[in-house]
Structure formats: C-alpha cells, structure tokens
C-alpha cells in the first residue's frame, strides 16, 4: 500500500538518526598529522638551544660557579705597550700592563703572562660566586650594619676576603719596612700568582684592581707618600680599600693617609698628585717606575733611565719620574752630581726632535738650574731631588737622606 507523503515523512522521522560527528572528529587524522609535523619542526629548531641552556644552568647549583669571559691579551710586548695612546691604554687589562713591565727582570725569568691572566680570571669566578651567595647580608638586619647597608661595600670586602683566604694572596711580611728593589716579585703581581713570595703595597693593590675590574667593579689606584691603595668610585659611592691588611680588609678616609705611612704637606700632595685616582697612563707610569727601580738596583742604570724617562712622558704632571731620571743620570755621570747645573754636558733626558718635547726638556733644565741657585722653601719639596717615596732605597750619588736639596 502506498503511503501518503505526510505519513511517509512521519515514519522516516521515527527512525533514529546517526549522531552527526564534530568537525574535529571528522578531520582527526589530518589534525594529528599536522600537529606531528609542527612538533617535529619545533624540536629541530629549539631542542639544541634548550639543551645548551640546561647545561649552562648547572652553574646555579651550589659548588659550580658560572665562568666569566676570558680576559684577552692586547699588547703582548712592552714596546707595543709604550707605543699606545692614552685611549688605547684604557682598553688594556691592568694585569697585562703590570706583567709586561716585569718581563726580563730578575725573578721573572719564567713569567707566563697568559697563564697569570687566566689564573686571575679563575679567581674572579671565585670572588663573584662567594659574593653573590652572601649578597643578602647587605640588607639583612644581622649583617647590614657591618656592611654599611651597601652592596658595594660587601663586594669590596669579599674581594679581599676571597683573595686572601681562598687564593692565598698575602703580604710579604719580610718587606714591611725593607722593600728589596732587586726582586721583581716584590714589585709586580706575579709574586702572588701561584707563588708563595707574597706582595707589597706596590703589587697588592694592582692585583685587587685587576680581579675587581674583571667583575665590573669601578676600582682605581691611588697614591700617597710611600704607599698605594685602592679606591671604589662609581660616581655615586666612593670609599678607600686598604689591601695590605692580612686577615681581612680595612677602609680609611683620605685624611688617614695624610700621616700614614708618612706625613706630607699640601705642597707635596699637589706636586705629587697624592690621593688622586690614577688614569691608565699614570698606572703604566707607576709600573715603569717600579721597573726602573728594579733595573737600577740590579746595576742596569742605563736601562733604568730609559724607563724613568718613559714614565715621565706618560705622567709629565708628576715630577717624581723626572727626579728619578735625573738621579740616574747623576749615577751614570758622577762628575755631574752636585757640581754643575743639570743639563750641561750631560745626557739628555729627552732624545726627541718633537718641538713640544724639546721645550719641556729645556724648561725642566731651567727650573732645575733655578732651584740649584735659590734656597729651598720650608715645607716645599724640591722636584730635582725629592725624598724618594719608596722608602729605604739605597741613596744615589748627589742625594743624602735627611738633607733638603
């Protein structure tokens, strides 16, 4: 029997319909295939970097300090160093500068500058690791007063503490009042790097600055009479660091150094730039002066004269290098000492045809001649023969300790 359209429609609607599948279910295969492709590409691009990051993150685990970038040598020879401009010297690591000035001296026969610089890099890692572990102390009520509520103060103290306690840096107590200028290990930092010699106020501040600068610390060398110390100065916070205190560190005001280790007058301070942070050329001049002392006391006066002269060229505002050069000149020509005005029939300090340099040389000679003919002013140091800031150096011809020249 044939059903009407209305009845046929009713009968069809009574048959249960198969549920309609969602779009995701209908395309599940293609979705899965696409997801697999995306995952594969992502893994290929990012997995190596992820593995590298995981490896580097192990430095955060206690006992595994994160390394720092190796300090790069930039000059390699002392001649290259002396040919640099002040701007170029500012880019040279102070440790390389100091060690190059020690090359060829007694006690530096086996000096390996690259090895020494690598050791300083390792020490910097130790200092940073211990500092970061204890940095909370700068703000912890239990410790904050000790560190003056300053992270910079804490960093300075841990620099000294780690170098002394973990790295073996120490003062050579046999040189407290008897510096031996024949020994380069007392004057330059290699005497404290993998060496039991120890340092003096000529070398310890340099080593502190070398390690501190590897960590980005704003450290400067500062001179006073017969002494060198370190200054932290970032433009906002400034304080002095005394590096020669075994068993810790100390900080003294500028006024303290007016009478320690020796007393000086304002005139001396102005003439010798005491308590003024050294520039890179002045740092190099300081090291060249030490090199000259070592050469002179080892009987190599002619070489010493060359380096005193080079130091004066780098820091012409400081009369002490010219004074040492003139003293050495007198040693090379004893007949001139105390008999004739300096500069007459005697070797020239400068052997440069540059007009400006020649004028400076002539002016220096004229000033020396005037000082020989005029009585000394009380309390004013005489640039020709000042009292040697490196105390206990053997006197040279024409210079008598205790007598005003």
């Amino acid at each position: 029997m044939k059903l009407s359209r209305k009845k046929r429609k009713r009968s069809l609607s009574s048959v249960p319909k198969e549920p309609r599948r969602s779009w995701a279910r209908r395309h599940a295969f293609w979705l899965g295939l696409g997801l697999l492709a995306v995952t594969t590409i992502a893994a290929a691009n990012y997995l190596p970097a992820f593995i590298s990051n995981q490896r580097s993150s192990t430095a955060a685990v206690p006992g595994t300090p994160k390394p720092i970038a190796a300090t790069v040598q930039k000059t390699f020879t002392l001649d290259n160093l002396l040919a640099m401009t002040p701007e170029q010297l500012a880019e040279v690591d102070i440790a390389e500068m100091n060690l190059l000035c020690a090359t060829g001296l007694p006690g530096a026969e086996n000096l390996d500058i690259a090895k020494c610089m690598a050791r300083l890099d390792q020490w910097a890692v130790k200092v940073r690791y211990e500092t970061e572990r204890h940095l909370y102390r700068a703000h912890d009520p239990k410790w904050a007063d000790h560190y003056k509520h300053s992270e910079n103060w804490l960093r300075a103290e841990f620099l000294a503490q780690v170098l002394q306690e973990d790295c073996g840096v120490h003062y050579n107590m046999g040189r407290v009042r008897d510096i031996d200028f024949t020994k380069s290990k007392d004057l330059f930092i290699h005497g404290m790097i993998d060496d039991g010699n120890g340092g003096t106020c000529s070398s310890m501040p340099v080593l502190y600055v070398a390690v501190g600068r590897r960590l980005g610390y704003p450290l400067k060398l500062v001179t006073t009479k017969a002494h060198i110390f370190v200054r932290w100065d970032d433009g906002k916070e400034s304080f002095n660091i005394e590096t020669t205190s075994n068993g810790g560190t100390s900080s003294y005001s500028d006024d303290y150094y007016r009478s320690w280790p020796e007393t000086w007058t304002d005139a001396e301070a102005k003439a010798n730039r005491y308590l003024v942070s050294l520039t890179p050329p002045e740092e190099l001049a300081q090291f060249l002066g030490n090199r000259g002392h070592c050469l002179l006391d080892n009987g190599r006066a002619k070489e010493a004269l060359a380096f005193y002269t080079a130091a004066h060229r780098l820091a012409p505002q400081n009369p002490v290098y010219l004074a040492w050069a003139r003293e050495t000149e007198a040693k090379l020509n004893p007949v001139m000492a105390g008999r004739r005005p300096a500069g007459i029939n005697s070797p020239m300090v400068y052997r440069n045809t540059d007009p400006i340099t020649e004028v400076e040389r002539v002016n220096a000679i004229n000033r020396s001649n005037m000082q020989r003919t005029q009585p000394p002013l009380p309390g004013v140091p005489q640039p020709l023969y000042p009292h040697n800031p490196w105390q206990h150096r053997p006197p040279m011809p024409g210079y008598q300790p205790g007598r005003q020249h």
Side-chain angles (χ1 to χ4, degrees), residues 168-180:
V169 175
H170 65 278
Y171 196 94
N172 185 343
M173 299 307 293
R175 299 289 179 257
V176 173
R177 283 293 177 184
D178 185 24
I179 295 179
D180 187 348

Side-chain angles (χ1 to χ4, degrees), residues 54-73:
Q54 289 297 309
R55 288 175 178 173
S56 63
S57 66
T58 58
V61 178
T64 55
K66 189 187 300 183
I68 64 174
T71 306
V72 179
Q73 285 185 255

